[in-house]
Amino acid sequence: MAIPVAMLIAAATKIAQDERAQRAAKSLWDNGVEAWGKRQNDRAAPAEVPGLQSGAVTEAPVPKQRPGWRAGIERRMGFRDGQSGDLIQFTYTDEHGLICERPVGNWRCEGGQLTGYCLNRKQDKSFAVPQIGEWEVFPVQAKG
């Protein structure tokens, strides 16, 4: 649904005249800029080593492993092609680094992808096995 331009201009004019709305918008903007700056600085800043003095002889640096790298191998070893089940719940880290719990029913693992019906999204979804964190399989038993 498109909003008429005249309505947008009227709303902007009203907000421009309201001092409280201006302060709220400025506060939101400033907090967003600050959070973005902290995130960018955290990425660019090298890790500081406590107690290290300039000119001190140190051991060769240990290559930094990605978090969960070894656990990722162990998890992948836990999922084999052709493996399937009724219900599984796991933590999943997406490409943006967001972590969420995913319950998935009628799942199957093929080619490094776990596919099934995601109960959160209410649709069929595929998940990259290396992105799967802690997981637990729930066997579904029929009452008899």
Side-chain angles (χ1 to χ4, degrees):
M1 175 168 94
I3 299 173
V5 174
M7 187 180 286
L8 288 174
I9 292 172
T13 304
K14 180 71 173 164
I15 290 173
Q17 295 170 352
D18 186 7
E19 189 176 328
R20 280 182 49 193
Q22 289 176 2
R23 282 194 308 250
K26 182 172 180 0
S27 174
L28 287 171
W29 176 264
D30 292 342
N31 289 338
V33 168
E34 181 182 339
W36 179 257
K38 284 175 79 174
R39 180 180 168 101
Q40 294 299 0
N41 288 338
D42 289 346
R43 284 184 177 178
E48 294 183 20
V49 178
L52 184 65
Q53 300 173 357
S54 60
V57 177
T58 62
E59 297 178 14
V62 177
K64 187 175 181 181
Q65 293 183 348
R66 292 179 289 167
W69 181 77
R70 179 163 297 285
I73 290 176
E74 291 168 1
R75 281 193 303 269
R76 274 184 268 156
M77 298 302 280
F79 289 106
R80 296 174 305 281
D81 279 354
Q83 186 178 2
S84 63
D86 294 321
L87 184 63
I88 187 170
Q89 182 168 346
F90 53 85
T91 58
Y92 186 74
T93 307
D94 69 2
E95 64 272 5
H96 303 291
L98 299 174
I99 300 172
C100 62
E101 289 277 329
R102 293 298 183 115
V104 176
N106 196 20
W107 62 274
R108 182 172 178 82
C109 185
E110 291 180 22
Q113 295 284 320
L114 187 138
T115 58
Y117 185 79
C118 179
L119 299 172
N120 285 357
R121 299 286 181 150
K122 307 266 189 279
Q123 63 183 0
D124 288 333
K125 296 285 285 180
S126 292
F127 303 94
V129 171
Q131 303 297 103
I132 294 175
E134 299 293 321
W135 52 275
E136 183 176 359
V137 175
F138 297 99
V140 177
Q141 298 175 355
K143 291 183 180 181

